[in-house]
Coordinates of all heavy atoms in Angstrom, one line a residue:
A57 N 7.2 3.6 10.7 CA 6.0 3.4 9.8 C 6.5 3.9 8.4 O 7.3 4.7 8.3 CB 4.9 4.3 10.3
F58 N 5.9 3.2 7.4 CA 6.1 3.6 6.0 C 4.8 4.2 5.5 O 3.7 3.7 5.7 CB 6.4 2.3 5.2 CG 7.7 1.6 5.7 CD1 7.7 0.6 6.6 CD2 8.9 2.0 5.1 CE1 8.9 0.0 7.0 CE2 10.1 1.4 5.5 CZ 10.1 0.4 6.4
R59 N 5.0 5.2 4.7 CA 3.8 5.8 4.0 C 3.7 5.3 2.6 O 4.7 5.4 1.9 CB 3.9 7.3 4.0 CG 2.8 8.0 3.3 CD 1.5 7.9 4.1 NE 0.4 8.5 3.3 CZ -0.8 8.4 3.7 NH1 -1.1 7.7 4.8 NH2 -1.8 8.9 2.9
F60 N 2.6 4.7 2.2 CA 2.4 4.2 0.9 C 1.2 4.9 0.3 O 0.2 5.2 0.9 CB 2.1 2.7 0.9 CG 3.3 1.9 1.2 CD1 3.6 1.5 2.5 CD2 4.1 1.5 0.2 CE1 4.7 0.7 2.8 CE2 5.3 0.8 0.5 CZ 5.6 0.4 1.8
N61 N 1.3 5.2 -1.0 CA 0.2 5.7 -1.8 C 0.1 4.9 -3.1 O 1.1 4.3 -3.6 CB 0.5 7.2 -2.2 CG 0.5 8.1 -1.0 OD1 -0.5 8.3 -0.4 ND2 1.7 8.6 -0.7
W62 N -1.1 4.7 -3.6 CA -1.4 3.9 -4.8 C -2.5 4.6 -5.6 O -3.2 5.5 -5.1 CB -1.8 2.5 -4.4 CG -2.9 2.4 -3.4 CD1 -4.2 2.4 -3.7 CD2 -2.8 2.3 -2.0 NE1 -5.0 2.3 -2.6 CE2 -4.1 2.3 -1.5 CE3 -1.7 2.3 -1.1 CZ2 -4.4 2.2 -0.1 CZ3 -2.0 2.3 0.2 CH2 -3.3 2.2 0.7
S63 N -2.5 4.3 -6.8 CA -3.6 4.8 -7.7 C -3.8 3.8 -8.8 O -3.1 2.9 -9.1 CB -3.2 6.2 -8.3 OG -2.0 6.0 -9.1
G64 N -4.9 4.0 -9.5 CA -5.3 3.2 -10.6 C -6.3 3.9 -11.5 O -6.8 4.9 -11.1
Q65 N -6.5 3.4 -12.7 CA -7.4 4.0 -13.6 C -8.1 2.9 -14.4 O -7.6 1.8 -14.6 CB -6.8 5.0 -14.5 CG -5.6 4.4 -15.4 CD -4.9 5.5 -16.1 OE1 -5.2 6.7 -16.0 NE2 -4.0 5.1 -17.0
D66 N -9.4 3.2 -14.7 CA -10.2 2.3 -15.5 C -10.9 3.1 -16.5 O -11.7 4.0 -16.1 CB -11.1 1.5 -14.6 CG -12.0 0.5 -15.4 OD1 -11.6 -0.6 -15.7 OD2 -13.1 0.9 -15.8
A67 N -10.7 2.9 -17.8 CA -11.2 3.8 -18.8 C -12.8 3.7 -18.9 O -13.4 4.7 -19.4 CB -10.6 3.5 -20.2
L68 N -13.4 2.6 -18.5 CA -14.8 2.4 -18.7 C -15.6 2.9 -17.5 O -16.4 3.9 -17.7 CB -15.1 1.0 -19.0 CG -14.5 0.5 -20.3 CD1 -14.8 -1.0 -20.5 CD2 -15.0 1.3 -21.5
S69 N -15.5 2.3 -16.4 CA -16.3 2.6 -15.2 C -15.6 3.3 -14.1 O -16.2 3.9 -13.2 CB -17.0 1.4 -14.7 OG -16.1 0.5 -14.2
G70 N -14.3 3.3 -14.1 CA -13.5 3.9 -13.0 C -13.2 2.9 -11.9 O -14.0 2.0 -11.7
V71 N -12.2 3.2 -11.2 CA -11.8 2.3 -10.0 C -12.6 2.6 -8.8 O -12.8 3.8 -8.5 CB -10.3 2.4 -9.7 CG1 -9.9 1.7 -8.5 CG2 -9.4 2.0 -10.9
A72 N -13.2 1.6 -8.2 CA -14.0 1.8 -7.0 C -13.3 1.6 -5.7 O -13.3 2.4 -4.8 CB -15.2 0.9 -7.1
T73 N -12.5 0.5 -5.7 CA -11.8 0.1 -4.4 C -10.5 -0.6 -4.8 O -10.3 -1.0 -5.9 CB -12.7 -0.8 -3.6 OG1 -13.0 -2.0 -4.3 CG2 -14.0 -0.2 -3.1
Y74 N -9.7 -0.9 -3.8 CA -8.5 -1.6 -3.9 C -8.3 -2.6 -2.8 O -8.8 -2.4 -1.7 CB -7.3 -0.6 -3.7 CG -7.2 0.5 -4.7 CD1 -7.8 1.7 -4.5 CD2 -6.6 0.3 -6.0 CE1 -7.8 2.8 -5.4 CE2 -6.5 1.4 -6.9 CZ -7.1 2.6 -6.6 OH -7.1 3.6 -7.6
N75 N -7.6 -3.7 -3.1 CA -7.1 -4.6 -2.1 C -5.6 -4.4 -2.1 O -5.0 -4.3 -3.2 CB -7.4 -6.1 -2.5 CG -8.9 -6.4 -2.5 OD1 -9.6 -5.9 -1.6 ND2 -9.3 -7.2 -3.4
I76 N -5.0 -4.3 -0.9 CA -3.6 -4.1 -0.8 C -3.0 -5.3 0.0 O -3.5 -5.6 1.1 CB -3.2 -2.8 -0.1 CG1 -3.9 -1.6 -0.8 CG2 -1.7 -2.6 0.0 CD1 -3.5 -1.4 -2.2
D77 N -2.1 -6.0 -0.5 CA -1.4 -7.2 0.1 C 0.0 -6.8 0.5 O 0.6 -6.0 -0.1 CB -1.4 -8.4 -0.8 CG -2.8 -8.9 -1.1 OD1 -3.8 -8.6 -0.4 OD2 -3.0 -9.5 -2.2
F78 N 0.5 -7.5 1.5 CA 1.9 -7.4 1.9 C 2.5 -8.7 2.3 O 1.8 -9.7 2.6 CB 2.1 -6.4 3.1 CG 1.8 -6.9 4.4 CD1 2.8 -7.4 5.2 CD2 0.5 -7.1 4.9 CE1 2.5 -7.9 6.5 CE2 0.2 -7.6 6.1 CZ 1.2 -8.0 6.9
R79 N 3.8 -8.8 2.3 CA 4.5 -10.0 2.8 C 5.9 -9.6 3.2 O 6.5 -8.7 2.6 CB 4.5 -11.1 1.8 CG 5.3 -10.8 0.6 CD 5.3 -12.0 -0.4 NE 6.0 -11.7 -1.6 CZ 6.1 -12.5 -2.7 NH1 5.4 -13.6 -2.6 NH2 6.7 -12.2 -3.7
A80 N 6.4 -10.3 4.2 CA 7.9 -10.2 4.4 C 8.5 -10.9 3.2 O 8.0 -11.9 2.7 CB 8.3 -10.9 5.7
E81 N 9.6 -10.4 2.7 CA 10.3 -10.9 1.6 C 10.5 -12.4 1.6 O 11.0 -12.9 2.6 CB 11.7 -10.2 1.4 CG 12.3 -10.4 0.1 CD 13.5 -9.5 -0.1 OE1 14.4 -9.5 0.9 OE2 13.7 -8.8 -1.1
G82 N 10.0 -13.1 0.6 CA 10.1 -14.6 0.5 C 9.0 -15.4 1.2 O 9.0 -16.6 1.2
E83 N 8.1 -14.7 1.9 CA 7.0 -15.4 2.6 C 5.7 -15.3 1.8 O 5.7 -14.7 0.6 CB 6.8 -14.8 4.0 CG 8.0 -15.1 4.8 CD 7.8 -14.7 6.3 OE1 6.7 -14.3 6.7 OE2 8.8 -14.8 7.1
N84 N 4.6 -15.7 2.3 CA 3.3 -15.7 1.7 C 2.6 -14.4 1.8 O 2.8 -13.7 2.8 CB 2.3 -16.8 2.3 CG 2.8 -18.2 2.0 OD1 3.4 -18.5 0.9 ND2 2.7 -19.1 2.9
W85 N 1.8 -14.0 0.8 CA 1.0 -12.8 0.8 C 0.0 -12.8 1.9 O -0.7 -13.8 2.1 CB 0.4 -12.5 -0.5 CG 1.4 -12.2 -1.6 CD1 1.8 -13.0 -2.6 CD2 2.0 -10.9 -1.8 NE1 2.7 -12.4 -3.4 CE2 2.9 -11.1 -3.0 CE3 2.1 -9.7 -1.1 CZ2 3.7 -10.1 -3.4 CZ3 2.9 -8.7 -1.6 CH2 3.7 -8.9 -2.7
A86 N -0.3 -11.6 2.5 CA -1.3 -11.5 3.5 C -2.1 -10.2 3.1 O -1.5 -9.2 2.6 CB -0.8 -11.3 4.9
R87 N -3.4 -10.1 3.4 CA -4.2 -9.0 3.1 C -4.0 -7.9 4.1 O -4.1 -8.1 5.3 CB -5.7 -9.4 3.0 CG -6.7 -8.3 2.6 CD -6.5 -7.7 1.2 NE -6.1 -8.5 0.2 CZ -7.0 -9.1 -0.7 NH1 -8.3 -8.9 -0.6 NH2 -6.5 -9.8 -1.7
W88 N -3.6 -6.7 3.7 CA -3.4 -5.6 4.6 C -4.7 -4.7 4.6 O -5.3 -4.5 5.6 CB -2.2 -4.7 4.2 CG -2.0 -3.4 4.9 CD1 -2.3 -3.2 6.2 CD2 -1.4 -2.2 4.4 NE1 -2.0 -1.9 6.6 CE2 -1.4 -1.3 5.5 CE3 -0.9 -1.9 3.2 CZ2 -0.9 0.0 5.4 CZ3 -0.4 -0.6 3.1 CH2 -0.4 0.3 4.2
L89 N -5.2 -4.4 3.4 CA -6.4 -3.6 3.3 C -7.4 -4.3 2.3 O -6.9 -4.7 1.2 CB -6.1 -2.2 2.8 CG -5.2 -1.3 3.7 CD1 -4.8 -0.1 3.0 CD2 -5.9 -1.0 5.1
S90 N -8.6 -4.4 2.6 CA -9.6 -5.0 1.8 C -10.7 -4.0 1.3 O -11.2 -3.3 2.1 CB -10.4 -6.1 2.5 OG -9.5 -7.2 2.8
N91 N -10.9 -4.0 0.0 CA -12.0 -3.1 -0.6 C -11.9 -1.7 0.0 O -12.9 -1.1 0.3 CB -13.3 -3.8 -0.4 CG -13.5 -5.1 -1.1 OD1 -13.1 -5.2 -2.3 ND2 -14.0 -6.1 -0.4
T92 N -10.7 -1.2 0.0 CA -10.6 0.2 0.5 C -10.7 1.2 -0.6 O -10.4 1.0 -1.7 CB -9.2 0.4 1.3 OG1 -9.2 1.7 1.8 CG2 -8.1 0.2 0.3
T93 N -11.3 2.4 -0.2 CA -11.4 3.5 -1.1 C -10.3 4.4 -0.9 O -10.1 5.4 -1.7 CB -12.8 4.2 -0.9 OG1 -12.8 4.7 0.4 CG2 -13.9 3.4 -1.3
Q94 N -9.4 4.2 0.1 CA -8.3 5.0 0.3 C -7.3 4.9 -0.8 O -7.2 3.8 -1.5 CB -7.6 4.6 1.6 CG -8.4 4.7 2.9 CD -7.6 4.2 4.1 OE1 -7.1 5.0 4.8 NE2 -7.5 2.9 4.2
T95 N -6.4 5.9 -1.0 CA -5.3 5.8 -1.9 C -4.0 6.0 -1.2 O -3.0 6.3 -1.9 CB -5.5 6.8 -3.1 OG1 -5.6 8.1 -2.5 CG2 -6.7 6.5 -3.9
G96 N -4.0 5.8 0.1 CA -2.8 5.9 0.8 C -3.0 5.5 2.3 O -4.1 5.6 2.8
A97 N -1.9 5.0 2.9 CA -2.0 4.6 4.3 C -0.6 4.4 4.9 O 0.3 4.2 4.1 CB -2.8 3.3 4.5
N98 N -0.5 4.4 6.2 CA 0.8 4.2 6.9 C 0.8 2.7 7.2 O -0.1 2.1 7.8 CB 0.9 5.0 8.1 CG 1.0 6.5 7.8 OD1 1.5 6.8 6.8 ND2 0.5 7.3 8.7
F99 N 2.0 2.1 7.0 CA 2.2 0.7 7.3 C 3.2 0.6 8.4 O 4.3 1.1 8.3 CB 2.7 -0.1 6.1 CG 3.0 -1.5 6.3 CD1 2.0 -2.5 6.4 CD2 4.3 -2.0 6.5 CE1 2.3 -3.8 6.6 CE2 4.6 -3.3 6.7 CZ 3.6 -4.2 6.8
I100 N 2.9 -0.1 9.5 CA 3.8 -0.3 10.6 C 4.3 -1.7 10.5 O 3.5 -2.7 10.6 CB 3.2 0.0 12.0 CG1 2.7 1.4 12.0 CG2 4.1 -0.4 13.1 CD1 1.9 1.8 13.3
A101 N 5.6 -1.9 10.2 CA 6.2 -3.2 10.0 C 6.2 -4.0 11.2 O 6.6 -3.6 12.3 CB 7.6 -3.0 9.5
P102 N 5.7 -5.3 11.2 CA 5.7 -6.2 12.3 C 7.2 -6.4 12.8 O 7.4 -6.6 14.0 CB 5.1 -7.5 11.8 CG 4.3 -7.1 10.6 CD 5.0 -5.9 10.0
D103 N 8.1 -6.4 11.9 CA 9.5 -6.6 12.3 C 10.4 -5.6 11.5 O 10.5 -5.8 10.3 CB 9.9 -8.1 12.0 CG 11.4 -8.4 12.3 OD1 12.2 -7.4 12.6 OD2 11.8 -9.6 12.2
S104 N 10.8 -4.6 12.1 CA 11.5 -3.5 11.4 C 12.8 -3.9 10.7 O 13.4 -3.2 9.9 CB 11.7 -2.3 12.3 OG 12.6 -2.7 13.4
S105 N 13.3 -5.1 11.1 CA 14.6 -5.6 10.5 C 14.4 -6.3 9.1 O 15.3 -6.6 8.5 CB 15.3 -6.5 11.4 OG 14.6 -7.7 11.6
R106 N 13.1 -6.5 8.8 CA 12.8 -7.3 7.5 C 12.4 -6.3 6.4 O 12.0 -5.2 6.6 CB 11.6 -8.2 7.8 CG 11.7 -9.1 9.0 CD 12.0 -10.6 8.8 NE 11.8 -11.2 7.6 CZ 11.0 -12.3 7.4 NH1 10.3 -12.7 8.4 NH2 11.0 -12.9 6.3
V107 N 12.5 -6.8 5.2 CA 12.1 -6.1 4.0 C 10.7 -6.6 3.7 O 10.4 -7.8 3.7 CB 13.0 -6.3 2.8 CG1 12.4 -5.8 1.5 CG2 14.4 -5.7 3.1
Y108 N 9.7 -5.7 3.5 CA 8.4 -6.0 3.1 C 8.0 -5.6 1.7 O 8.5 -4.6 1.2 CB 7.4 -5.3 4.1 CG 7.5 -5.9 5.5 CD1 8.4 -5.4 6.4 CD2 6.7 -7.1 5.8 CE1 8.5 -6.0 7.7 CE2 6.9 -7.6 7.1 CZ 7.7 -7.1 8.0 OH 7.9 -7.7 9.2
E109 N 7.2 -6.5 1.1 CA 6.8 -6.3 -0.3 C 5.3 -6.0 -0.3 O 4.5 -6.5 0.6 CB 7.1 -7.5 -1.1 CG 8.5 -7.9 -1.2 CD 8.8 -9.1 -1.9 OE1 8.0 -10.1 -1.9 OE2 9.9 -9.2 -2.6
F110 N 4.8 -5.2 -1.3 CA 3.4 -4.8 -1.4 C 2.9 -5.0 -2.8 O 3.7 -4.8 -3.8 CB 3.3 -3.4 -1.0 CG 3.6 -3.1 0.4 CD1 5.0 -2.9 0.8 CD2 2.7 -3.2 1.4 CE1 5.4 -2.7 2.1 CE2 3.1 -3.0 2.8 CZ 4.4 -2.8 3.1
R111 N 1.7 -5.3 -3.0 CA 1.0 -5.4 -4.3 C -0.4 -4.9 -4.1 O -1.0 -4.9 -3.1 CB 1.0 -6.8 -4.9 CG 0.1 -7.8 -4.1 CD 0.2 -9.1 -4.7 NE -0.7 -10.1 -4.0 CZ -0.8 -11.4 -4.2 NH1 0.0 -11.9 -5.1 NH2 -1.6 -12.1 -3.5
S112 N -0.9 -4.3 -5.2 CA -2.3 -3.8 -5.2 C -3.1 -4.5 -6.2 O -2.6 -5.1 -7.2 CB -2.2 -2.3 -5.5 OG -1.8 -2.0 -6.8
Q113 N -4.4 -4.4 -6.0 CA -5.4 -5.0 -6.9 C -6.6 -4.1 -6.9 O -7.2 -3.7 -5.9 CB -5.9 -6.4 -6.4 CG -6.9 -7.1 -7.2 CD -7.4 -8.4 -6.5 OE1 -7.6 -8.4 -5.4 NE2 -7.4 -9.4 -7.3
A114 N -6.9 -3.6 -8.1 CA -8.0 -2.6 -8.3 C -9.3 -3.4 -8.6 O -9.3 -4.4 -9.3 CB -7.7 -1.6 -9.4
I115 N -10.4 -2.9 -8.1 CA -11.7 -3.3 -8.5 C -12.5 -2.2 -9.0 O -12.6 -1.1 -8.4 CB -12.5 -3.9 -7.2 CG1 -11.7 -5.1 -6.7 CG2 -13.9 -4.4 -7.6 CD1 -11.1 -4.8 -5.4
D116 N -13.1 -2.3 -10.3 CA -13.8 -1.2 -10.9 C -15.2 -1.1 -10.4 O -15.7 -2.0 -9.7 CB -13.6 -1.2 -12.4 CG -14.3 -2.2 -13.1 OD1 -15.2 -2.9 -12.5 OD2 -14.1 -2.4 -14.3
V117 N -15.9 0.0 -10.8 CA -17.3 0.2 -10.4 C -18.2 -0.9 -10.9 O -19.2 -1.3 -10.3 CB -17.8 1.6 -11.0 CG1 -19.2 1.8 -10.7 CG2 -16.9 2.7 -10.4
A118 N -17.9 -1.6 -12.1 CA -18.7 -2.7 -12.6 C -18.4 -4.0 -11.9 O -19.1 -5.0 -12.2 CB -18.4 -2.8 -14.1
G119 N -17.4 -4.0 -11.0 CA -17.1 -5.2 -10.2 C -16.0 -6.1 -10.8 O -15.8 -7.2 -10.3
N120 N -15.4 -5.6 -11.9 CA -14.3 -6.4 -12.5 C -13.1 -6.3 -11.6 O -12.8 -5.2 -11.1 CB -13.9 -5.8 -13.8 CG -15.1 -6.0 -14.8 OD1 -15.6 -7.0 -15.0 ND2 -15.5 -4.9 -15.4
V121 N -12.4 -7.4 -11.3 CA -11.3 -7.4 -10.4 C -10.0 -7.7 -11.2 O -9.9 -8.6 -12.0 CB -11.5 -8.6 -9.4 CG1 -10.3 -8.6 -8.4 CG2 -12.8 -8.4 -8.6
E122 N -9.0 -6.8 -10.9 CA -7.7 -7.0 -11.6 C -7.0 -8.2 -11.1 O -7.1 -8.6 -9.9 CB -6.9 -5.7 -11.2 CG -5.4 -5.8 -11.7 CD -4.6 -4.6 -11.2 OE1 -5.0 -3.9 -10.2 OE2 -3.5 -4.4 -11.8
S123 N -6.4 -8.9 -12.0 CA -5.7 -10.1 -11.6 C -4.4 -9.7 -10.8 O -3.9 -8.7 -11.1 CB -5.3 -11.0 -12.8 OG -4.4 -10.3 -13.7
V124 N -4.0 -10.5 -9.9 CA -2.9 -10.2 -9.0 C -1.6 -11.0 -9.5 O -1.8 -12.1 -10.1 CB -3.1 -10.5 -7.5 CG1 -4.1 -9.6 -7.0 CG2 -3.4 -11.9 -7.3
S125 N -0.5 -10.4 -9.3 CA 0.8 -11.0 -9.6 C 1.5 -11.4 -8.4 O 1.3 -10.9 -7.3 CB 1.6 -10.0 -10.4 OG 2.9 -10.5 -10.6
D126 N 2.4 -12.4 -8.5 CA 3.2 -12.8 -7.3 C 4.4 -11.8 -7.2 O 5.1 -11.9 -6.2 CB 3.7 -14.2 -7.4 CG 4.1 -14.8 -6.1 OD1 3.4 -14.6 -5.1 OD2 5.2 -15.4 -6.0
I127 N 4.6 -11.0 -8.2 CA 5.7 -10.0 -8.1 C 5.2 -8.7 -7.4 O 4.1 -8.2 -7.7 CB 6.1 -9.7 -9.5 CG1 6.7 -10.9 -10.2 CG2 7.2 -8.6 -9.5 CD1 6.9 -10.8 -11.7
A128 N 6.0 -8.2 -6.5 CA 5.6 -7.0 -5.7 C 5.7 -5.8 -6.6 O 6.5 -5.7 -7.5 CB 6.6 -6.9 -4.6
D129 N 4.7 -4.9 -6.3 CA 4.7 -3.5 -6.9 C 5.8 -2.7 -6.4 O 6.4 -1.8 -7.1 CB 3.4 -2.8 -6.8 CG 2.3 -3.6 -7.5 OD1 2.5 -4.1 -8.6 OD2 1.1 -3.6 -6.9
V130 N 6.1 -2.8 -5.1 CA 7.1 -2.0 -4.4 C 7.5 -2.7 -3.1 O 6.8 -3.6 -2.6 CB 6.4 -0.6 -4.0 CG1 5.3 -0.7 -3.0 CG2 7.5 0.4 -3.6
T131 N 8.7 -2.3 -2.6 CA 9.2 -2.9 -1.4 C 9.7 -1.9 -0.4 O 10.0 -0.7 -0.9 CB 10.4 -3.9 -1.6 OG1 11.6 -3.2 -1.9 CG2 10.1 -4.9 -2.8
T132 N 9.9 -2.2 0.8 CA 10.4 -1.3 1.8 C 11.9 -1.0 1.6 O 12.5 -0.1 2.1 CB 10.2 -1.7 3.2 OG1 10.7 -3.0 3.4 CG2 8.7 -1.7 3.6
A133 N 12.5 -1.9 0.8 CA 14.0 -1.7 0.4 C 14.1 -0.4 -0.4 O 15.2 0.2 -0.4 CB 14.5 -2.9 -0.3
Q134 N 13.1 0.0 -1.0 CA 13.1 1.2 -1.9 C 12.8 2.5 -1.1 O 12.8 3.6 -1.6 CB 12.1 1.1 -3.0 CG 12.4 -0.1 -3.9 CD 11.2 -0.5 -4.8 OE1 10.1 -0.4 -4.4 NE2 11.5 -0.8 -6.0
A135 N 12.5 2.4 0.2 CA 12.0 3.5 1.0 C 13.1 4.5 1.3 O 14.3 4.1 1.4 CB 11.4 3.0 2.3
L136 N 12.8 5.7 1.4 CA 13.7 6.8 1.9 C 13.5 7.0 3.4 O 12.4 7.2 3.8 CB 13.4 8.1 1.1 CG 13.5 8.1 -0.4 CD1 13.1 9.4 -1.0 CD2 15.0 7.8 -0.8
W137 N 14.6 6.8 4.1 CA 14.5 6.9 5.6 C 14.6 8.4 6.0 O 15.5 9.1 5.5 CB 15.6 6.1 6.2 CG 15.3 4.6 6.1 CD1 15.8 3.8 5.2 CD2 14.4 3.9 7.0 NE1 15.3 2.5 5.4 CE2 14.5 2.6 6.5 CE3 13.6 4.2 8.0 CZ2 13.7 1.6 7.1 CZ3 12.9 3.2 8.6 CH2 12.9 1.9 8.2
L138 N 13.7 8.8 6.8 CA 13.8 10.2 7.4 C 14.0 10.0 8.8 O 13.3 9.4 9.6 CB 12.4 10.9 7.1 CG 12.0 11.0 5.7 CD1 10.6 11.7 5.6 CD2 13.0 11.9 4.9
E139 N 15.1 10.6 9.3 CA 15.5 10.5 10.7 C 14.5 11.2 11.6 O 14.1 10.8 12.6 CB 16.9 11.0 10.9 CG 18.0 10.1 10.3 CD 18.0 8.7 10.8 OE1 17.8 8.5 12.1 OE2 18.1 7.8 10.0
R140 N 14.1 12.4 11.2 CA 13.2 13.2 11.9 C 12.3 13.9 10.9 O 12.7 14.3 9.9 CB 13.9 14.3 12.7 CG 14.7 13.8 13.9 CD 15.2 15.0 14.7 NE 14.0 15.4 15.4 CZ 14.1 16.3 16.4 NH1 15.2 16.7 16.8 NH2 13.0 16.7 17.1
S141 N 11.0 13.9 11.3 CA 10.1 14.6 10.4 C 9.1 15.3 11.3 O 8.7 14.8 12.4 CB 9.4 13.7 9.4 OG 8.6 12.7 10.1
I142 N 8.6 16.4 10.9 CA 7.6 17.2 11.6 C 6.4 17.4 10.7 O 6.5 17.8 9.6 CB 8.1 18.6 12.0 CG1 9.4 18.5 12.9 CG2 7.1 19.4 12.7 CD1 10.1 19.8 13.2
V143 N 5.3 17.0 11.2 CA 4.0 17.1 10.4 C 3.2 18.2 11.1 O 2.9 18.2 12.2 CB 3.2 15.8 10.5 CG1 1.9 15.9 9.7 CG2 4.1 14.6 10.0
L144 N 3.0 19.2 10.3 CA 2.2 20.4 10.7 C 0.8 20.1 10.4 O 0.4 19.5 9.4 CB 2.7 21.6 10.0 CG 4.2 22.0 10.2 CD1 4.6 23.2 9.4 CD2 4.4 22.3 11.7
P145 N -0.1 20.7 11.3 CA -1.5 20.5 11.1 C -2.0 21.3 9.9 O -1.4 22.3 9.6 CB -2.2 21.0 12.4 CG -1.2 21.9 12.9 CD 0.2 21.4 12.5
L146 N -3.0 20.8 9.2 CA -3.6 21.5 8.1 C -4.9 22.1 8.6 O -5.8 21.4 9.0 CB -3.9 20.5 6.9 CG -4.6 21.1 5.7 CD1 -3.8 22.2 5.1 CD2 -4.9 20.0 4.7
V147 N -5.0 23.4 8.5 CA -6.3 24.1 8.9 C -6.9 24.7 7.7 O -6.3 25.4 6.9 CB -5.9 25.2 9.9 CG1 -7.2 25.9 10.3 CG2 -5.2 24.6 11.1
V148 N -8.2 24.3 7.5 CA -9.0 24.8 6.4 C -10.1 25.6 6.9 O -10.9 25.2 7.8 CB -9.5 23.6 5.5 CG1 -10.3 24.1 4.4 CG2 -8.4 22.8 5.1
T149 N -10.3 26.8 6.4 CA -11.4 27.7 6.8 C -12.3 27.8 5.6 O -11.9 27.9 4.5 CB -10.9 29.1 7.2 OG1 -10.2 29.7 6.1 CG2 -10.0 29.0 8.4
P150 N -13.6 27.8 5.9 CA -14.6 28.0 4.8 C -14.6 29.3 4.2 O -14.2 30.3 4.6 CB -16.0 27.7 5.6 CG -15.7 27.7 7.0 CD -14.2 27.7 7.2

């Protein structure tokens, strides 16, 4: 799995949601997340031997939609591979 985080800003009304698209390098874009309020998610590659590209599109509170580009914002080719990782639980007390 790959961990992705994204962010955006809108000086007038603020960013409300995001659309996140992906594609295998050289193929057509497909929607991964639609109108999400998340700013990060784990992506499990359908084929781990391929390079995947990602682009984001922000939608502000007023409903204005950012135009999308055919150029990727980031690719899995830029990922740092971790052979082993341990995720510790986060415990919050009131």
Side-chain angles (χ1 to χ4, degrees):
F58 296 91
R59 178 68 186 173
F60 287 94
N61 294 293
W62 53 87
S63 65
Q65 57 186 4
D66 180 86
L68 298 176
S69 64
V71 174
T73 61
Y74 299 92
N75 292 325
I76 309 296
D77 298 334
F78 80 100
R79 68 180 176 187
E81 195 171 46
E83 294 189 4
N84 293 325
W85 290 104
R87 183 62 38 97
W88 175 30
L89 301 170
S90 296
N91 295 315
T92 184
T93 57
Q94 299 178 101
T95 56
N98 291 331
F99 177 80
I100 299 174
D103 179 350
S104 61
S105 67
R106 310 253 344 239
V107 172
Y108 290 90
E109 301 176 325
F110 298 84
R111 68 181 181 188
S112 64
Q113 178 184 47
I115 299 109
D116 71 10
V117 174
N120 298 308
V121 180
E122 176 186 15
S123 60
V124 294
S125 171
D126 199 45
I127 299 171
D129 295 322
V130 68
T131 75
T132 56
Q134 300 163 321
L136 299 175
W137 287 98
L138 302 175
E139 293 299 319
R140 291 188 74 166
S141 62
I142 299 172
V143 178
L144 300 175
L146 175 63
V147 178
V148 178
T149 58

